[in-house]
Amino acid sequence: MAEMQNTPFMRELVSSDRKTRDKALDSLTLYIRSKTDLTLLDLLKLWKGLFFCFYHSDRPLTQQALARALSYSLVPTLPRQTLHRFLRAFWITIGRDFHSLDRLRLDKYLFLIRCYVGVAFEIFVKGKKTNASTNGSNKKRKREEAAQKEKGKKRSKGKKEEARPEPQEDEEEDDDNSEDKWADLSAYLSIIEEGPLCPLNFDPDQPTEAAPGDTAGDTTPMPHGPDGLRYHILDLWIDEVEKVLEFEEGTEDSENRKVKGDVPMDLLLRPLEKLRTESPYKPVRVRAAEALDDDRLVEWGFKTREVEEEEEDDESDQEWGGFDD
């Protein structure tokens, strides 16, 4: 990290001049993409500079462009070894400094948070679905080619060979891949559950500082909440999930939209369910329940609406005839 601290773009990130910050940001993104050995402590120092770089950005269009550059442009290009540590460093920084934001700068940081929730779903949900469909089509094509070759061999060898069962190695391999397909998503959601969507605001068992001698920052505590950050993430969670879903043709505008492909909705809703059941604060539980009660989850077929049938009271429908004599 000493090499990074000596580079000029670390100081230029917090400059009040926009051109200087933009130049430093371009240099920084190239630097991050070329490094695979950055520790969590390195990324925390880096995010401290990015936080104040975003702090000095002015005008709505400039702020939105910078938020997208820091999220949708940067995060998908990160090395796989750095991705989860980079996202963890972001949530640690946001949780630590969220309370210091004034009302004039709060909106742009809320938009940055929305972008980071969305880009994570783009990578871990939509990206995995695309890779899975591509791999599945390639494997299907290979199986068809192998089957054609096998049929040619069987015809030449006679009827005895035709009776042999076809190998099931590809199917077993597909089952193994389906189990590990959402491992990265689960690891990312664990970061969210540990940080902004943790049911507890204060955990007495959590250390307040990194362990002595931890030069990599791996034991840096994750801030919990605060509630304002929780409420914002709960409000946008289903909106960002909807953006990465693909719907079958002809159902986009209908009330019952059918989702195309495999979507781990139970896994995606796990942080919200955990808040609803484990949070000791009633307002948080209520907001989590409202998010889980979104009508879109019913439209997509992941939840069913429980209709409570009210018992008709015949006596209430009758006209009151006064007191009996």
Side-chain angles (χ1 to χ4, degrees), residues 47-100:
W47 257 111
K48 192 70 174 178
L50 291 176
F51 185 87
F52 286 104
C53 174
F54 196 68
Y55 185 89
H56 287 295
S57 64
D58 53 2
R59 297 192 181 94
L61 293 179
T62 303
Q63 296 163 3
Q64 294 174 16
L66 181 56
R68 293 191 181 96
L70 291 174
S71 55
Y72 287 99
S73 298
L74 174 61
V75 178
T77 63
L78 293 177
R80 186 175 181 182
Q81 300 89 332
T82 310
L83 181 58
H84 280 86
R85 287 198 298 271
F86 186 82
L87 293 173
R88 175 178 284 273
F90 168 78
W91 288 114
I92 290 177
T93 304
I94 289 296
R96 181 184 57 202
D97 297 328
F98 188 82
H99 69 280
S100 64

Side-chain angles (χ1 to χ4, degrees), residues 63-312:
Q63 296 163 3
Q64 294 174 16
L66 181 56
R68 293 191 181 96
L70 291 174
S71 55
Y72 287 99
S73 298
L74 174 61
V75 178
T77 63
L78 293 177
R80 186 175 181 182
Q81 300 89 332
T82 310
L83 181 58
H84 280 86
R85 287 198 298 271
F86 186 82
L87 293 173
R88 175 178 284 273
F90 168 78
W91 288 114
I92 290 177
T93 304
I94 289 296
R96 181 184 57 202
D97 297 328
F98 188 82
H99 69 280
S100 64
L101 299 174
D102 56 76
R103 63 181 182 85
L104 298 177
R105 293 181 172 87
L106 181 60
D107 287 344
K108 64 180 181 181
Y109 279 95
L110 294 180
F111 182 74
L112 179 65
I113 292 167
R114 174 182 287 272
C115 289
Y116 261 82
V117 173
V119 73
F121 290 158
E122 286 274 353
I123 296 171
F124 298 126
V125 180
K126 192 173 183 178
K128 291 295 181 180
K129 287 173 61 179
T130 303
N131 294 337
S133 61
T134 303
N135 294 336
S137 61
N138 292 337
K139 289 179 181 179
K140 183 178 180 181
R141 178 173 52 82
K142 290 180 180 179
R143 284 198 296 266
E144 291 176 352
E145 293 176 356
Q148 291 178 358
K149 293 180 181 179
E150 189 68 22
K151 287 180 180 179
K153 292 180 180 179
K154 288 178 180 179
R155 290 173 183 174
S156 62
K157 291 182 180 180
K159 295 182 179 180
K160 292 183 179 180
E161 294 293 336
E162 294 179 359
R164 289 185 181 179
E166 295 183 359
Q168 302 295 329
E169 295 179 358
D170 291 338
E171 295 181 3
E172 294 177 358
E173 186 178 352
D174 291 343
D175 294 339
D176 295 338
N177 292 337
S178 62
E179 295 177 359
D180 299 334
K181 183 169 62 173
W182 307 115
D184 289 340
L185 174 62
S186 179
Y188 171 72
L189 293 178
S190 297
I191 296 174
I192 297 294
E193 293 170 341
E194 182 185 352
L197 293 188
C198 179
L200 299 176
N201 274 340
F202 174 72
D203 185 1
D205 297 330
Q206 184 187 35
T208 57
E209 297 180 355
D214 180 17
T215 59
D218 293 332
T219 60
T220 302
M222 173 75 78
H224 297 168
D227 283 342
L229 182 57
R230 284 195 187 95
Y231 296 151
H232 178 60
I233 296 176
L234 288 173
D235 288 341
L236 62 85
W237 194 265
I238 303 299
D239 294 339
E240 298 304 316
V241 169
E242 183 178 14
K243 293 178 182 178
V244 300
L245 298 181
E246 296 180 359
F247 299 96
E248 295 183 2
E249 297 181 0
T251 63
E252 290 85 353
D253 299 329
S254 62
E255 294 182 357
N256 297 323
R257 295 184 291 175
K258 294 182 180 179
V259 178
K260 185 190 302 183
D262 181 22
V263 178
M265 189 58 68
D266 291 338
L267 184 60
L268 289 170
L269 298 180
R270 187 183 71 185
L272 279 62
E273 288 284 0
K274 190 173 182 180
L275 274 182
R276 184 183 65 84
T277 57
E278 298 182 14
S279 177
Y281 310 106
K282 184 176 180 180
V284 176
R285 296 197 304 268
V286 171
R287 292 290 288 271
E290 290 176 353
L292 290 169
D293 198 35
D294 196 296
D295 292 335
R296 287 171 290 184
L297 295 175
V298 179
E299 294 177 6
W300 303 336
F302 295 108
K303 284 182 175 285
T304 56
R305 179 71 64 191
E306 296 181 0
V307 180
E308 297 181 359
E309 297 182 358
E310 299 181 358
E311 297 181 357
E312 296 182 358

Side-chain angles (χ1 to χ4, degrees), residues 17-73:
D17 182 57
R18 176 185 170 185
K19 293 182 179 179
T20 304
R21 292 197 310 269
D22 292 345
K23 181 180 177 181
L25 183 61
D26 293 339
S27 301
L28 179 62
T29 53
L30 293 175
Y31 180 87
I32 300 175
R33 293 170 185 174
S34 63
K35 293 288 185 179
T36 59
D37 57 347
L38 293 176
T39 65
L40 180 61
L41 185 60
D42 295 340
L43 295 170
L44 285 171
K45 294 177 180 179
L46 185 151
W47 257 111
K48 192 70 174 178
L50 291 176
F51 185 87
F52 286 104
C53 174
F54 196 68
Y55 185 89
H56 287 295
S57 64
D58 53 2
R59 297 192 181 94
L61 293 179
T62 303
Q63 296 163 3
Q64 294 174 16
L66 181 56
R68 293 191 181 96
L70 291 174
S71 55
Y72 287 99
S73 298

